[in-house]
Amino acid sequence: MGASRATLGFLGLFFMASAILLIFLTLLGGARNSTPLNEIYFLQVDSSNISGAPALSRWTFWNLCSVNSNGRSVCGSSHPDFPFDPPRANNFNTTDNIPHQFIGTKHYYLTSRFMFPFIIIGLFFAVVSLFSGFLAMCTRIGSYISGFFAWLALTFQVITTCLMTAVFVQGRNAFQSNGQTSRLGVKAFAFMWTASVCLFFSCLCYCLGGAVGRKDSGKGYSGRKERRRGFFSSARSNSVHSQKREEEGPTTYE
């Protein structure tokens, strides 16, 4: 027995809500010095040999943070869409002991800056899909509308996640090639890729929910069509027999 529209709609809502939660956690990582937000970051670098920098530095969407003895981020004032560009004034503001890959290029700056608007746009469509998902449990059109917004959210989420992966993996490799220990933020990457998978499953559930019942309704339509065809065929046949009897005239009996 196939899943009902209500079940698929509920699954779509569940995956969508899970994705939104993970996206929010990643987006707000570093915005406040409280758990779990102070444990979410994109890249951690040993910056002890960089003048004016803390021993360990972490990049988030909002700032460049230091790390305390408990291994948690200590962040100052927040700046939305904070760029990943070590030589820049709002990062380390120096080129001493900065890997040469960061010097004289805007690749890291532009790639990291585009992440923020894309995640905001994707989050907007995800929230719209979440609210329209309540209609998806009872109507076909609600399922398709929710699936459409889920697909838009998935598109922007995948773009954001790919940009994040590309720029911070390249940054990690650049620091490591310069002899500076660096590592990716496991939570941020796990949250973003898991959110992408959840959005995919949400979109799939909504679309399947819209398709539920179509085959049965098609059979019902075909059945009604066949009944109408049989009715008109029968009426036409009776009319032909009646016309033949009139042409033959009355039957006489000897």
Side-chain angles (χ1 to χ4, degrees):
M1 181 178 177
S4 66
R5 181 176 295 117
T7 302
L8 290 169
F10 177 79
L11 287 174
L13 276 173
F14 172 78
F15 285 120
M16 182 58 66
S18 301
I20 291 174
L21 175 62
L22 295 174
I23 294 171
F24 263 119
L25 286 173
T26 307
L27 178 62
L28 297 177
R32 295 189 62 183
N33 295 320
S34 58
T35 306
L37 299 183
N38 58 0
E39 299 176 357
I40 301 171
Y41 58 92
F42 298 122
L43 180 66
Q44 175 179 295
V45 173
D46 179 3
S47 54
S48 57
N49 61 346
I50 300 176
S51 176
L56 291 175
S57 299
R58 289 175 175 174
W59 279 268
T60 70
F61 268 123
W62 303 91
N63 36 41
L64 177 61
C65 308
S66 59
V67 183
N68 61 20
S69 57
N70 295 323
R72 292 174 179 167
S73 302
V74 179
C75 305
S77 58
S78 297
H79 305 278
D81 202 6
F82 190 85
F84 172 56
D85 192 5
R88 201 171 182 84
N90 55 358
N91 279 224
F92 295 135
N93 193 27
T94 183
T95 57
D96 294 338
N97 293 321
I98 299 295
H100 67 87
Q101 292 92 331
F102 296 108
I103 301 174
T105 178
K106 291 186 177 180
H107 164 68
Y108 297 93
Y109 174 81
L110 293 175
T111 306
S112 59
R113 288 297 294 270
F114 272 109
M115 288 167 49
F116 193 81
F118 279 130
I119 196 174
I120 293 297
I121 296 172
L123 187 59
F124 168 77
F125 286 124
V127 172
V128 173
S129 179
L130 178 69
F131 285 107
S132 63
F134 291 99
L135 296 176
M137 292 190 291
C138 51
T139 63
R140 179 177 292 115
I141 186 64
S143 297
Y144 285 133
I145 290 175
S146 299
F148 173 71
F149 284 117
W151 177 79
L152 290 175
L154 173 63
T155 300
F156 285 100
Q157 173 66 15
V158 169
I159 293 173
T160 304
T161 307
C162 289
L163 288 175
M164 178 193 72
T165 303
V167 71
F168 287 107
V169 168
Q170 289 175 354
R172 179 201 60 182
N173 295 341
F175 278 110
Q176 288 182 345
S177 68
N178 199 44
Q180 293 162 292
T181 304
S182 59
R183 67 179 186 183
L184 299 174
V186 176
K187 290 184 175 65
F189 278 80
F191 289 168
M192 290 293 281
W193 280 110
T194 303
S196 300
V197 174
C198 287
L199 287 173
F200 171 77
F201 281 119
S202 177
C203 183
L204 183 64
C205 288
Y206 284 141
C207 291
L208 289 175
V212 166
R214 172 177 290 179
K215 186 175 181 181
D216 294 337
S217 62
K219 286 182 178 180
Y221 174 77
S222 300
R224 291 192 298 271
K225 188 174 180 181
E226 290 296 330
R227 287 195 295 272
R228 287 197 297 269
R229 183 180 300 169
F231 171 77
F232 287 117
S233 298
S234 176
R236 189 180 301 111
S237 177
N238 291 337
S239 176
V240 170
H241 287 307
S242 177
Q243 185 176 359
K244 285 183 177 180
R245 285 197 298 269
E246 290 178 357
E247 290 175 353
E248 292 173 356
T251 304
T252 56
Y253 297 95
E254 294 181 355

